[in-house]
Amino acid sequence: MKAALAEACRGIGRTLPNPAVGAVVVKGRRIMSCGWHRAAGLPHAEIEALARLKSPAIARGATLYVTLEPCSTSGRTPPCTDAIIRAGIARVVYGARDPNPAHAGRADRILEAAGVCVTSGVLAAGCAGINEAWNKWIATGLPFVVAKAGMTLDGQIASPPGRRWITSEESRRDAMRLRATCGAILVGGETVRTDNPRLTLRGMPSTAQPLRAVWTRSGNLPADSRIFTDRHRAKTLVFQGVSLREVLRRLGRSGVQKVLIEGGGRTLGEAFDRGLVDRAVFYIAPILSGGGVPAVGGRGVRSNESGWRLENVFCRMLGGDLRVEGEVVCRVS
């Protein structure tokens, strides 16, 4: 399954709106072939692994390891369960169950009815983790939300006069990679008015530009803003007079599986207050500025015990900054 996971990781960011999936065919304790899903409309990982066998006869009596429950319904491609049965695979071992309640466990029943032994839940957390955004979108229709901010050591996000950037160049490059994993970048109207951001992917020419969403109450946005005048202006969406949850719901309906909220402080505060954030990524520079604008505003918490907390926290240094990432798991009362 670790080999199948390595194959799946090759497809991260390339398969939308499908999940990243990897598969290997094993016989006689040897990996006979590997496969990964390359793009929507192309063969699924199981089909590619079977096609890469030196001979179709090798599949008979073999074991197929796959990171996600094999599909059992027709979409852009036929059901993988049919191909697995035709190939003569004797055993299927998969990691994560299909998050769609209408499909979860269906492959088990189909395969077992055909005499195929099925084992599920192997390295399930790792297999599910690589598709965390897709999993949420499939199950709820809402995109997975990442809150991102670059801030001073005392939690300010507004740069003092004469200094454009708070965080290091290394942190900004990492933030570009983070943007590239998302289907939309969301900011509040005040960020557009104050910072005139580009919200583009710089230094990553081969990656598709995400949508740029602006959440505004007044609708008072400068017409000459970069996001309305550059070559990506057709990918700019303005949402006025609706809740932040409704913005996310509409983005989800349009196929966006992952949204990066970049600010400002009021927008991030509202996202936390309403329980909309799934993951946080903060870049903390070793600077104290005082005053300014807090990274996360909003209503705030009543006590430390009732605040949002991070689990599975990962920290590392980037050009002198501290990058902190974790799952947001506790709800404010």
Side-chain angles (χ1 to χ4, degrees), residues 296-316:
V296 179
R299 185 175 63 244
V301 303
R302 298 175 182 176
S303 67
N304 288 338
E305 290 72 25
S306 66
W308 289 89
R309 296 180 183 273
L310 301 187
E311 284 190 358
N312 299 320
V313 178
F314 177 65
C315 303
R316 61 189 170 106

Side-chain angles (χ1 to χ4, degrees), residues 101-186:
H103 301 160
R106 191 167 185 265
D108 301 46
R109 297 189 291 272
I110 292 172
L111 293 171
E112 288 173 346
V116 180
C117 178
V118 178
T119 301
S120 62
V122 176
L123 299 185
C127 291
I130 61 173
N131 291 308
E132 59 183 2
W134 182 79
N135 293 337
K136 180 185 178 183
W137 180 69
I138 284 291
T140 68
L142 291 172
F144 188 90
V145 175
V146 179
K148 172 258 177 181
M151 67 184 78
T152 64
L153 195 59
D154 51 344
Q156 306 302 315
I157 60 173
S159 300
R163 180 183 174 91
R164 182 181 180 189
W165 302 110
I166 293 174
T167 56
S168 66
E169 184 177 347
E170 290 86 347
S171 290
R172 297 196 297 276
R173 281 200 299 265
D174 187 82
M176 286 295 158
R177 290 190 288 269
L178 182 60
R179 282 182 177 180
T181 68
C182 299
I185 305 165
L186 189 151

Side-chain angles (χ1 to χ4, degrees), residues 240-252:
Q240 181 183 358
V242 297
S243 69
L244 189 53
R245 184 180 294 276
E246 178 60 23
V247 172
L248 295 172
R249 187 176 291 114
R250 293 183 187 182
L251 288 172

Side-chain angles (χ1 to χ4, degrees), residues 18-180:
N18 292 350
V21 183
V24 297
V25 177
V26 175
K27 195 169 188 180
R29 300 197 174 193
R30 291 181 54 203
I31 293 179
M32 309 304 292
S33 67
C34 302
W36 56 287
H37 183 43
R38 298 169 184 267
L42 295 182
H44 289 186
E46 304 95 313
I47 306 305
E48 181 170 290
L50 291 170
R52 291 172 67 87
L53 290 169
K54 291 183 178 179
S55 168
I58 296 174
R60 304 204 66 82
T63 297
L64 174 72
Y65 288 82
V66 59
T67 55
L68 179 66
E69 177 181 345
C71 69
S72 55
T73 58
S74 294
R76 291 184 176 90
T77 58
C80 289
T81 49
D82 291 354
I84 291 168
I85 294 168
R86 285 196 308 269
I89 291 290
R91 184 183 180 214
V92 170
V93 180
Y94 70 82
R97 180 150 286 187
D98 191 324
N100 188 333
H103 301 160
R106 191 167 185 265
D108 301 46
R109 297 189 291 272
I110 292 172
L111 293 171
E112 288 173 346
V116 180
C117 178
V118 178
T119 301
S120 62
V122 176
L123 299 185
C127 291
I130 61 173
N131 291 308
E132 59 183 2
W134 182 79
N135 293 337
K136 180 185 178 183
W137 180 69
I138 284 291
T140 68
L142 291 172
F144 188 90
V145 175
V146 179
K148 172 258 177 181
M151 67 184 78
T152 64
L153 195 59
D154 51 344
Q156 306 302 315
I157 60 173
S159 300
R163 180 183 174 91
R164 182 181 180 189
W165 302 110
I166 293 174
T167 56
S168 66
E169 184 177 347
E170 290 86 347
S171 290
R172 297 196 297 276
R173 281 200 299 265
D174 187 82
M176 286 295 158
R177 290 190 288 269
L178 182 60
R179 282 182 177 180

